[in-house]
Amino acid sequence: MEQLLLKMDEKSEVKVIAASAHNFRIELVKKVGKDDIPGLIEISHCMAERFGKQALLSKTNIPKYFNPETLPFLARLKGEIIGYIIGVPLEYFKQESWAHFDVNMGKKNTLYTYAFVIKSNFRGKGGYGKTLKRIYINWAKKQKYHFITGHVENGISKRFPGTTETVKVFPDWYGLKTPFEYYRRTLI
């Protein structure tokens, strides 16, 4: 595990996708650095509160989600990470049984939303989460993705704007004992 960190640069390499005059910015992470590890781990606790320990980021699994094959975006306010969204081409999950319910597997036109989290004290304030999601979707469109997919609690995708369909409902998603739906949102 320490070897992973030894090979990691001190600072993350990011591309600023959007910025405001109030020190809020959305960044596409090209290469995660040691400087962002503590903030990413801290914010993952917000997801773990709802989705269990499997949602926690750690020094060992961060490279799995922040690497050249994934599309991680950070939301920063005054330099502090307050949220992230991780998009992954659907084909990355070809070994997962749930992914085979998607008719677009292998077509390279679908971006799977692996994680989307905003720190609790920033939810519903300032539009930070909505801005992060909107920029992520617009970026996906510019990259020629036709669909965004993901897993959410049953019924949530009905509130998404645009054309969204439920592909499959999973009654017991990874032991959470809550039905989750796999949704597909059309971008084009």
Side-chain angles (χ1 to χ4, degrees), residues 114-180:
Y114 182 79
F116 175 40
V117 62
I118 295 290
K119 276 188 176 179
S120 343
N121 54 326
F122 291 100
R123 288 184 203 144
K125 298 176 185 166
Y128 300 116
K130 284 183 183 177
T131 301
L132 177 58
K133 185 77 171 225
R134 189 176 311 122
I135 288 169
Y136 169 74
I137 289 169
N138 286 334
W139 187 91
K141 287 178 185 177
K142 287 178 185 172
Q143 302 309 306
K144 308 290 186 221
Y145 283 101
H146 298 185
F147 306 97
I148 287 183
T149 62
H151 288 90
V152 292
E153 286 184 63
N154 200 24
I156 299 241
S157 71
K158 287 179 178 70
R159 299 190 307 230
F160 294 169
T163 305
T164 304
E165 66 179 298
T166 299
V167 175
K168 175 142 178 80
V169 175
F170 296 89
D172 187 6
W173 184 246
Y174 286 94
L176 292 175
K177 295 178 179 51
T178 301
F180 269 65

Side-chain angles (χ1 to χ4, degrees), residues 1-64:
M1 188 268 301
E2 278 305 312
Q3 284 182 317
L4 286 174
L5 289 178
L6 289 175
K7 293 178 184 177
M8 194 177 283
D9 293 340
E10 286 298 320
K11 290 192 66 57
S12 291
E13 182 184 330
V14 300
K15 178 181 179 183
V16 177
I17 303 296
S20 77
H22 304 289
N23 277 329
F24 176 65
R25 51 195 249 175
I26 306 294
E27 304 168 341
L28 173 61
V29 179
K30 295 180 172 260
K31 193 173 180 184
V32 71
K34 293 178 186 175
D35 61 330
D36 283 329
I37 299 292
L40 291 170
I41 291 171
E42 177 191 342
I43 200 163
S44 75
H45 283 87
C46 294
M47 282 189 47
E49 290 170 9
R50 177 67 190 101
F51 303 112
K53 288 193 286 189
Q54 67 264 23
L56 282 175
L57 291 179
S58 68
K59 291 176 184 176
T60 54
N61 71 9
I62 283 176
K64 178 180 178 183

Side-chain angles (χ1 to χ4, degrees), residues 80-107:
E80 174 191 354
I81 298 172
I82 64 165
Y84 61 80
I85 191 166
I86 303 171
V88 184
L90 180 63
E91 288 70 21
Y92 192 81
F93 299 100
K94 65 183 172 212
Q95 301 302 323
E96 299 287 336
S97 59
W98 60 260
H100 295 276
F101 290 101
D102 198 314
V103 296
N104 291 309
M105 175 57 82
K107 294 181 181 177

